[in-house]
Amino acid sequence: MGWLHWERFLCATDCATDPRRCVSEQLFVEMADVMAAEGWRDAGYEFVCIDDCWMAPTRDEHGRLQADPKRFPSGIRKLADYVHSRGLKLGIYSDVGNKTCAGFPGSYNHYDLDAQTFASWGVDLLKFDGCNSDTLELLAEGYRRMSLALNNTGRSIVYSCEWPFYLRPLQQPNYTEIKHYCNHWRNFFDVYDSWSSIKSILDWTALHQDSIVKIAGPGGWNDPDMLVIGNFGLSWDQAVTQMAMWAVMAAPLFMSNDLRHISPEAKWLLQNKEVIAINQDLLGKQGYQITKDKNFELWERPLSGRAYAVAVLNQQEIGGPQNFTFPLTFLGNGLACNPACTVQEVLPASRDWGVYSWVSSLSVEVNPTGTVLLKVVAL
């Protein structure tokens, strides 16, 4: 869990005219301050992550990556120390190819040196992109080599990969191998600040769940990309859907928004302890779609303590709230509510729905593009 600059701040490098939106030391210092002071760290968001465009255009005289000296005048080591002083961790970005996606120096032929550099700076996470790699063999070799190089530093550094996303147009990823080397990995396109983007990620995940759900678990996760809650493109119901479905999908929760200016509603949703508890459940199983009926989707996620998270998503984009009714025998291969269970609504509001028997049905009213997230616990 943490915060990432990319979706909201992109590759903004003009600090002279727009210092508040520029990818700079100041941005990450201010975000770390807010995360420590306003409950984000205490809710579990511990990483402050730098994405592309932090680098100088060239390596230094020793061949090492270096931060842009104007935008990061104190250097990454000092920034990491500051972030650590706030009880947080620092993430950074590089690329498996010879250039990053934005055209800055990549790590090709420098994997060991770059890993050592990141470790010497006190970095805690590396997001490793896949642009500008000439062949699939070089792509795979680069991801493997950087994984080994990070481990050889002796520092614990989370390894976030884009490996399967760049493989998929040409071949089916070997997820057993990817999980061996990476801690989480992107499968699909970048998230945008829009409902169509969230919907496309959910549709893709459901379509490919047979190949991706089983590999997820402690140490390795499918990453559907950033939370864009608190920005401009999602309605309230769509924001609830993203938070609920990312929890069901056991997704890493990396927000990309401006925490210095965020609504109380978005903050409540992103810091919701019940949803975060589902997302971070120790069993570590990813959820999946169990049925689709016209515009409704029913998803479940097995949780520890004989519990299930259940999401009812209404994909319809016209009209008003609709009711979806389903038998509780649909859940957990018929065992989630055997012989009885309690049902708790988590989102959009926290409510106790009471005790149900194994043969009961649930009727759930869901707003257009909204989701109702439930927790079902067997008795």
Side-chain angles (χ1 to χ4, degrees):
M1 293 174 63
W3 179 91
L4 185 65
H5 94 245
W6 184 256
E7 192 285 327
R8 180 63 184 266
F9 295 93
L10 298 171
C11 194
T13 55
D14 184 359
C15 295
T17 56
D18 205 349
R20 298 279 286 167
R21 296 195 184 106
C22 175
V23 177
S24 67
E25 189 176 294
Q26 179 186 339
L27 177 70
F28 298 101
V29 164
E30 290 181 7
M31 223 52 74
D33 286 344
V34 173
M35 287 174 72
E38 296 186 13
W40 300 100
R41 179 192 63 201
D42 299 335
Y45 296 96
E46 63 174 348
F47 287 92
V48 182
C49 296
I50 307 168
D51 208 280
D52 205 348
C53 305
W54 63 271
M55 301 162 186
T58 57
R59 290 173 176 266
D60 72 11
E61 65 272 21
H62 304 292
R64 291 181 302 225
L65 291 173
Q66 52 185 343
D68 183 280
K70 288 185 179 169
R71 293 182 287 120
F72 293 85
S74 306
I76 302 297
R77 173 80 238 190
K78 285 276 175 59
L79 179 58
D81 290 345
Y82 187 85
V83 167
H84 294 153
S85 77
R86 291 289 181 262
L88 298 160
K89 296 178 179 178
L90 185 73
I92 208 163
Y93 169 101
S94 189
D95 191 284
V96 71
N98 56 7
K99 287 187 176 173
T100 72
C101 299
F104 290 85
S107 288
Y108 179 67
N109 268 343
H110 296 86
Y111 302 120
D112 292 305
L113 177 62
D114 289 357
Q116 292 291 344
T117 301
F118 298 145
S120 73
W121 288 343
V123 164
D124 304 290
L125 179 149
L126 173 65
K127 177 179 172 180
F128 208 44
D129 217 333
C131 285
N132 302 307
S133 193
D134 292 338
T135 66
L136 289 187
E137 289 73 27
L138 286 172
L139 181 88
E141 181 192 0
Y143 274 107
R144 292 187 203 107
R145 286 189 58 186
M146 183 54 90
S147 178
L148 298 172
L150 292 171
N151 284 342
N152 285 340
T153 67
R155 182 170 179 81
S156 178
I157 300 175
V158 176
Y159 189 34
S160 170
C161 299
E162 313 256 324
W163 189 355
F165 171 64
Y166 287 92
L167 273 184
R168 267 196 175 273
L170 299 161
Q171 68 181 63
Q172 172 68 22
N174 178 347
Y175 282 102
T176 305
E177 180 184 32
I178 289 167
K179 186 172 182 177
H180 179 75
Y181 290 103
C182 301
N183 296 119
H184 50 92
W185 48 84
R186 288 268 310 284
N187 293 300
F188 192 60
F189 294 106
D190 284 12
V191 70
Y192 279 55
D193 187 11
S194 73
W195 171 243
S196 62
S197 175
I198 302 301
K199 184 179 181 301
S200 70
I201 290 167
L202 294 173
D203 290 347
W204 186 94
T205 302
L207 184 65
H208 295 89
Q209 63 183 19
D210 289 349
S211 66
I212 67 170
V213 165
K214 60 194 173 196
I215 198 66
W221 312 96
N222 293 295
D223 179 5
D225 211 9
M226 297 160 274
L227 294 166
V228 294
I229 296 160
N231 289 321
F232 311 97
L234 302 184
S235 71
W236 174 248
D237 286 292
Q238 293 159 2
V240 167
T241 291
Q242 190 185 24
M243 192 69 186
M245 297 307 298
W246 263 234
V248 167
M249 293 189 294
L253 298 184
F254 285 93
M255 308 175 286
S256 192
N257 46 25
D258 191 342
L259 297 175
R260 300 166 300 188
H261 308 285
I262 193 164
S263 71
E265 295 80 13
K267 184 177 179 181
W268 173 86
L269 182 58
L270 287 162
Q271 292 189 5
N272 187 296
K273 288 192 169 88
E274 293 176 79
V275 188
I276 291 170
I278 289 170
N279 172 261
Q280 298 282 309
D281 185 77
L282 290 175
L283 194 60
K285 286 188 176 292
Q286 180 170 333
Y288 40 85
Q289 188 188 103
I290 49 177
T291 189
K292 187 169 182 177
D293 183 3
K294 299 190 178 79
N295 291 302
F296 278 101
E297 298 179 17
L298 182 65
W299 294 61
E300 71 175 15
R301 177 182 175 185
L303 303 174
S304 49
R306 297 181 67 224
Y308 283 82
V310 178
V312 184
L313 167 59
N314 179 5
Q315 289 266 22
Q316 186 154 310
E317 297 183 27
I318 193 169
Q322 300 275 339
N323 270 75
F324 181 67
T325 302
F326 63 95
L328 285 166
T329 51
F330 271 22
L331 305 178
N333 293 318
L335 301 175
C337 197
N338 189 1
C341 59
T342 60
V343 178
Q344 175 85 23
E345 179 184 332
V346 178
L347 286 176
S350 181
R351 295 190 193 97
D352 187 1
W353 284 18
V355 177
Y356 290 77
S357 77
W358 180 64
V359 293
S360 303
S361 288
L362 270 188
S363 186
V364 184
E365 184 180 83
V366 193
N367 293 344
T369 65
T371 297
V372 172
L373 179 64
L374 307 169
K375 186 176 180 183
V376 175
V377 184
L379 293 173

